Amino acid sequence: MKDLRRYLALKYIQYLVLSSSNAVSTLLGLLGSAYTMILLQSAKVSSKSTAVLISSLAQADILVFLSLACDVVSGSFGAGVSPSASALAQILLTANAHVSCVLLSCVAFEAYLITFLPLESRPLRTVRNARLISRVIWTLVAAECALFLMDDHLRASGSLGLLFQLSSVAAALLRSLSYVLGILLRIINVYIYYKIFFSMSPR
């Protein structure tokens, strides 16, 4: 559907084109996700693997809403809860960005399979596999955020033990890996849509 394609285009711009989010793109993303979640409940939208991935992508913006709620709590109750609430808000935004980027790449890869290997890839492009992929992505990102939260908590408590050192090294490595992976996903997405565009262009 055209509305879903527009939503995907908005998300690609928000997470894979813009260097950082801003108030306008965040608001548009939230509105687009809310509309998409309603749209996916319609009987007009068939239950396919792409719809499952897009639904999970739209649900990821719940994390943005929770992050905004943390900011409100931080501003309402003052400095007593400000550090922990601010850290949680930032981690929720990080989780949203990482989940969204990987899901967008999954949608792009599926579009590549549909375009170039439609028959061969059909056994892979199932609703069950799409749900499994979404769960794996959410689980990995949740583990990443748990590590970041633990590292922030240990830093705030002034801990200098072995656990702090291990979590600090692991968090630093994971942040570096996430940065490199983000660049690779941008390159791969550009390549995939470049190939699809020119394969569909008139000769």
Side-chain angles (χ1 to χ4, degrees), residues 92-114:
L92 288 172
L93 288 178
T94 299
N96 168 258
H98 290 181
V99 168
S100 299
C101 286
V102 178
L103 285 172
L104 285 169
S105 297
C106 290
V107 172
F109 182 65
E110 186 174 48
Y112 180 89
L113 293 178
I114 292 171

Side-chain angles (χ1 to χ4, degrees), residues 10 12 15 30 65 131 185 196:
L10 170 64
Y12 277 111
Y15 290 107
L30 286 172
F65 180 79
R131 287 174 178 163
L185 289 180
I196 293 175

Side-chain angles (χ1 to χ4, degrees), residues 15-177:
Y15 290 107
L16 296 173
V17 176
L18 296 177
S19 58
S20 61
S21 61
N22 54 62
V24 175
S25 65
T26 299
L27 178 60
L28 290 176
L30 286 172
L31 292 175
S33 293
Y35 174 73
T36 298
M37 284 191 282
I38 295 172
L39 184 64
L40 289 171
Q41 304 304 314
S42 170
K44 296 180 181 179
V45 180
S46 57
S47 179
K48 293 183 178 180
S49 55
T50 303
V52 172
L53 294 173
I54 294 175
S55 175
S56 188
L57 174 66
Q59 291 168 14
D61 269 3
I62 294 174
L63 299 176
V64 177
F65 180 79
L66 293 176
S67 175
L68 294 175
C70 286
D71 285 335
V72 170
V73 170
S74 176
S76 299
F77 293 93
V81 296
S82 180
S84 58
S86 297
L88 180 59
Q90 187 58 47
I91 287 174
L92 288 172
L93 288 178
T94 299
N96 168 258
H98 290 181
V99 168
S100 299
C101 286
V102 178
L103 285 172
L104 285 169
S105 297
C106 290
V107 172
F109 182 65
E110 186 174 48
Y112 180 89
L113 293 178
I114 292 171
T115 304
F116 297 104
L117 300 168
L119 297 178
E120 297 87 342
S121 65
R122 185 171 293 173
L124 299 175
R125 295 183 287 104
T126 63
V127 170
R128 179 182 178 183
N129 286 343
R131 287 174 178 163
L132 177 61
I133 289 171
S134 296
R135 291 192 189 105
V136 169
I137 292 170
W138 277 97
T139 300
L140 291 175
V141 173
E144 174 193 36
C145 292
L147 176 60
F148 290 158
L149 276 173
M150 182 176 70
D151 183 53
D152 287 340
H153 175 72
L154 291 174
R155 287 178 185 277
S157 64
S159 175
L160 297 175
L162 178 61
L163 181 60
F164 169 73
Q165 295 176 358
L166 290 175
S167 69
S168 181
V169 171
L173 288 175
L174 192 54
R175 286 188 174 95
S176 298
L177 179 61

